[in-house]
């Protein structure tokens, strides 16, 4: 299965107005430029805006938050500096509701639970390890999960994040013996054909930075057999 990356012509746009643009990220997309030198989603969105609105010169686009490269789902970008400042505040103050879906092979110990760990990041291999007790340089991480569907060989969990830590969902689920499908980095036994993992940023509830209305944004899941069984 070859990986489809987003281009200005195939962008999956979930919401667009003068102040923000919300995109459904594909597996291969990288939100912001990094050492790989691959074109980031932020540049693709800029190209899309430039062409669609026939904008001369540089297009302003602010990156508000990121998703790990192998994950999919909702990403919000700011189209004005005012929107960027307000969205940054909202995200850093946790004034947003983020819901993720994850597919795991092993059944979690409970049908629903709150997980609290202390995550310590390892920059050498770009992972985070979940500890039950606080260790030096660790950060508290908390989430709720619920099993929302049982498939033939997998369980689908709905996750609500209370904190936003590096690889938080991946590390916390691995810590309870439930690594996410395809996530070799956190102990799953096989990679996915497209190199992604079955973790999807499904829903986001935010206050619009300018109009102040409540936006409830939902991202369709990728087209594959397991997600389609949802």
């Amino acid at each position: 299965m070859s990986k489809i990356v987003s281009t200005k012509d195939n962008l999956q746009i979930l919401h667009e107005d003068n102040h923000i643009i919300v995109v459904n990220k594909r597996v291969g997309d990288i939100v912001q430029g990094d050492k790989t030198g691959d074109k980031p989603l932020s540049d693709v969105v800029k190209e899309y805006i430039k062409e669609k609105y026939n904008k001369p010169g540089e297009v302003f686009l602010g990156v508000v938050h990121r998703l790990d490269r192998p994950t999919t789902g909702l990403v919000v970008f700011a189209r004005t500096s005012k929107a960027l400042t307000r969205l940054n505040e909202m995200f850093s103050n946790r004034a947003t509701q983020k819901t993720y879906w994850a597919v795991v092979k092993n059944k979690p110990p409970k049908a629903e639970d709150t997980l609290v760990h202390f995550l310590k990041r390892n920059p050498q291999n770009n992972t985070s390890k979940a500890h039950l007790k606080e260790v030096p340089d660790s950060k508290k991480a908390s989430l709720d999960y619920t099993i929302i569907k049982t498939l033939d060989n997998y369980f689908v969990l709905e996750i609500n994040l209370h904190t936003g830590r590096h690889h938080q969902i991946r590390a916390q689920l691995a810590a309870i013996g439930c690594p996410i499908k395809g996530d070799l980095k956190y102990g799953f036994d096989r990679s996915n054909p497209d190199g992604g993992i079955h973790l999807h940023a499904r829903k986001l509830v935010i206050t619009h930075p300018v109009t102040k209305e409540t936006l409830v944004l939902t991202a369709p899941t990728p087209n594959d057999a397991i997600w389609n069984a949802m």
Side-chain angles (χ1 to χ4, degrees), residues 68 126-128 165-172 185-186:
D68 299 341
N126 190 34
T127 58
S128 286
R165 305 297 181 207
H166 175 256
H167 289 184
Q168 179 178 337
I169 298 173
R170 299 165 68 180
Q172 286 198 273
K185 206 168 235 193
Y186 287 93

Side-chain angles (χ1 to χ4, degrees), residues 1-6 26-29 38 69-70 193-196:
M1 193 163 125
S2 65
K3 200 159 30 178
I4 301 171
V5 293
S6 294
R26 294 178 167 93
V27 160
D29 297 338
D38 293 345
R69 188 163 194 169
D194 63 2

Side-chain angles (χ1 to χ4, degrees), residues 125-183:
N125 61 6
N126 190 34
T127 58
S128 286
K129 185 160 173 55
H131 299 267
L132 289 172
K133 294 195 166 71
E134 196 166 358
V135 298
D137 304 320
S138 63
K139 289 180 174 171
K140 190 176 181 181
S142 153
L143 60 78
D144 293 332
Y145 76 79
T146 308
I147 299 174
I148 54 168
K149 196 167 180 76
T150 302
L151 304 171
D152 289 346
N153 300 304
Y154 299 101
F155 298 89
V156 184
L157 313 182
E158 183 164 278
I159 294 145
N160 287 305
L161 278 182
H162 308 149
T163 52
R165 305 297 181 207
H166 175 256
H167 289 184
Q168 179 178 337
I169 298 173
R170 299 165 68 180
Q172 286 198 273
L173 290 182
I176 60 164
C178 299
I180 294 167
K181 183 179 183 305
D183 200 355

